[in-house]
C-alpha cells in the first residue's frame, strides 16, 4: 500500500484523537510507523493498524474503515484540489474515479494498486458501483463515497448488498 494512505491515516488519527494517539496506535499494531508518501508498504501494516484502532475504539474494522474514508476526503481535497474542483457534485466526482481519479493517482504514485468500479446508473437516480480489488477494502470505498458527498455539501446514503448475495461487492449510492 502506498505511504500516502498511511500519511492520511496518521493525519485523521491526530486530528480526531491527538498527536500521541498515532504513536500509541503504531505501538499497539506493532508496526514501524515511518511511512513516506511515495513509499510502498505491506498491506499487513494497514490491516494491523485497522485492527488495533478498531479494538481501541470498540468498533468493527468495517466501521473504522468507513470513518477513515469519510474523514480522509477533506484531506484529499485539500491536497489535490484539482481532482475535486473539476466536478460540480459528488456524483460527477464518483463517476470519474476509473477514468480520471485513479489514472491521476497512478501518475502521482506509480505502482499504486487502485480498485476498479463498474458503474450502473439506475432509473431512480441511484448509482450501483460494483467494487473489484485484490485488497477487499470495500468498507473504505464506502467511507470515501460518503466523504465525497460531505465535501460537496451533499447528503448521500450508501447501501452495501449483504454478504452471500450475488451482489455482495455492490454499493448503491442514493443522494437526498
Amino acid at each position: 500500500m502506498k505511504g500516502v494512505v498511511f500519511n492520511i491515516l496518521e493525519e485523521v488519527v491526530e486530528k480526531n484523537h491527538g498527536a500521541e494517539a498515532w504513536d500509541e496506535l503504531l505501538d499497539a499494531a506493532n508496526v514501524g510507523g515511518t511511512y513516506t508518501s511515495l513509499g510502498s508498504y505491506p498491506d499487513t501494516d494497514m490491516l494491523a493498524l485497522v485492527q488495533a484502532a478498531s479494538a481501541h475504539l470498540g468498533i468493527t474494522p468495517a466501521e473504522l474503515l468507513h470513518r477513515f474514508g469519510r474523514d480522509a476526503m477533506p484531506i484529499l481535497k485539500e491536497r489535490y484540489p484539482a481532482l475535486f474542483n473539476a466536478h460540480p457534485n459528488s456524483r460527477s466526482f464518483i463517476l470519474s474515479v476509473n477514468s480520471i481519479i485513479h489514472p491521476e493517482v497512478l501518475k502521482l504514485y506509480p505502482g499504486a494498486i487502485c480498485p476498479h468500479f463498474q458503474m450502473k446508473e439506475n432509473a431512480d437516480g441511484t448509482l450501483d458501483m460494483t467494487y473489484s480489488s485484490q485488497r477487499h477494502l470495500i468498507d473504505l470505498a464506502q467511507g470515501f463515497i460518503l466523504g465525497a458527498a460531505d465535501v460537496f455539501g451533499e447528503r448521500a446514503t450508501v447501501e452495501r448488498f449483504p454478504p452471500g448475495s450475488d451482489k455482495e461487492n455492490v454499493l448503491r449510492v442514493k443522494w437526498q
Side-chain angles (χ1 to χ4, degrees):
M1 185 166 291
K2 285 299 185 185
V4 67
V5 178
F6 291 92
N7 298 156
I8 292 170
L9 177 61
E10 178 180 3
E11 194 169 329
V12 167
V13 168
E14 289 179 354
K15 177 183 161 208
N16 292 330
H17 303 284
E20 315 80 39
W22 178 247
D23 290 330
E24 292 170 9
L25 180 58
L26 293 173
D27 289 343
N30 196 28
V31 295
T34 304
Y35 302 106
T36 63
S37 65
L38 295 177
S40 294
Y41 303 94
D43 291 353
T44 54
D45 279 17
M46 180 59 70
L47 296 175
L49 289 164
V50 167
Q51 289 295 331
S54 66
H56 177 75
L57 295 172
I59 61 175
T60 67
E63 291 170 313
L64 184 92
L65 287 167
H66 289 169
R67 286 186 188 180
F68 170 47
R70 196 168 198 164
D71 289 349
M73 272 307 198
I75 296 167
L76 289 167
K77 183 177 188 229
E78 184 178 302
R79 288 186 184 186
Y80 311 104
L83 293 177
F84 291 81
N85 295 339
H87 300 281
N89 55 46
S90 63
R91 181 185 200 94
S92 170
F93 177 79
I94 291 166
L95 285 169
S96 76
V97 73
N98 292 323
S99 61
I100 298 172
I101 295 169
H102 286 162
E104 289 298 320
V105 167
L106 290 170
K107 286 179 192 173
L108 293 168
Y109 304 102
I113 299 171
C114 298
H116 180 78
F117 294 92
Q118 181 181 346
M119 310 282 192
K120 179 183 172 227
E121 296 189 75
N122 301 308
D124 64 359
T126 60
L127 174 67
D128 286 351
M129 301 174 65
T130 302
Y131 172 88
S132 177
S133 173
Q134 67 187 38
R135 288 202 169 107
H136 307 289
L137 293 173
I138 192 170
D139 296 305
L140 180 60
Q142 188 171 351
F144 281 147
I145 294 164
L146 293 169
D150 293 344
V151 163
F152 284 93
E154 301 168 348
R155 287 191 47 218
T157 57
V158 181
E159 175 187 2
R160 181 169 172 193
F161 286 90
S165 80
D166 62 342
K167 297 183 175 185
E168 71 180 64
N169 287 329
V170 177
L171 299 171
R172 177 165 289 158
V173 186
K174 180 179 182 180
W175 286 267
Q176 282 91 36

